Amino acid sequence: MEVAAQQVENGAKIIDVNTDEAFGFQRSHAQNFHLMPSEPDIAQVPATIDSSKFDVIEAGLNVFRESV
């Protein structure tokens, strides 16, 4: 959530949710996805699930879908 807020504050047109473990993403972070629509500034910006591996993108999308 904090990273998404920072991205929006810095003028991001798309929130980049990086789901690679190398970038510090942990599945437990996904519990915050459901908060994104409840934050007015964040809810107005589309999000993208980012990874270097397709299976990780797919897993990230599934977690995101389940959380929002």
Side-chain angles (χ1 to χ4, degrees), residues 18-36:
N18 192 310
T19 57
D20 277 332
E21 289 179 10
F23 289 97
F25 182 83
Q26 298 174 9
R27 196 167 173 85
S28 62
H29 294 156
Q31 67 186 347
N32 294 325
F33 286 161
H34 74 282
L35 297 173
M36 290 176 69

Side-chain angles (χ1 to χ4, degrees), residues 19-20 49-62:
T19 57
D20 277 332
I49 306 296
D50 183 21
S51 177
S52 59
K53 298 178 182 177
F54 182 77
D55 60 326
V56 174
I57 292 173
E58 188 174 36
L61 286 169
N62 287 332

Side-chain angles (χ1 to χ4, degrees), residues 1-21:
M1 236 349 234
E2 184 177 319
V3 173
Q6 289 174 351
Q7 289 182 33
V8 171
E9 288 173 10
N10 290 330
K13 301 297 180 200
I14 297 174
I15 297 170
D16 183 15
V17 180
N18 192 310
T19 57
D20 277 332
E21 289 179 10

